[in-house]
Amino acid sequence: AAIGKDVDGSDFDEYLIHHNKTLFKPEFAPTPFCYSVRRPGHAPDGTLSIETCSSGGMKGGGQPVHMHTTVAVIDPAAPMSFAINASTRASFTGVRYMHALVAQQSG
């Protein structure tokens, strides 16, 4: 209940995380963007994440919080490629992940 309470951006973020659990089916619900970076057959080399600060910001004592994204996983047959320069192209295969993020800001 927000009656008589000062509501800030972190309160709205918390509400959306809770609301999205009831709005989306579990397989489509936004999840924290935090993934292990690894080579096949090896232990993780590190992590990749997108974070924001909780209320108060980093200098005001706020803690980093993972952003929530919706993910589509595609296992294509054809490789993708991109140009590095006029005479070199890099191509890659494997599972592809497409993320969507709705970022709101108040204040």
Side-chain angles (χ1 to χ4, degrees):
I3 298 174
K5 179 181 178 186
D6 289 333
V7 178
D8 63 9
S10 65
D11 293 321
F12 188 66
D13 290 339
E14 187 177 312
Y15 165 76
L16 282 179
I17 290 169
H18 170 74
H19 182 68
N20 286 339
K21 290 178 184 175
T22 60
L23 182 64
F24 293 100
K25 290 183 177 181
E27 60 268 23
F28 302 113
T31 56
F33 189 101
C34 183
Y35 295 93
S36 296
V37 177
R38 69 176 69 220
R39 294 171 288 158
H42 291 81
D45 294 319
T47 59
L48 172 68
S49 64
I50 299 176
E51 299 174 339
T52 187
C53 294
S54 61
S55 63
M58 291 293 211
K59 293 182 181 176
Q63 296 296 313
V65 179
H66 296 294
M67 300 292 288
H68 284 65
T69 63
T70 303
V71 184
V73 181
I74 304 165
D75 193 6
M80 287 187 74
S81 65
F82 60 92
I84 294 177
N85 58 33
S87 62
T88 307
R89 291 192 71 76
S91 63
F92 57 95
T93 60
V95 179
R96 298 175 194 155
Y97 299 88
M98 184 161 80
H99 297 267
L101 166 69
V102 177
Q104 70 281 339
Q105 183 176 358
S106 63

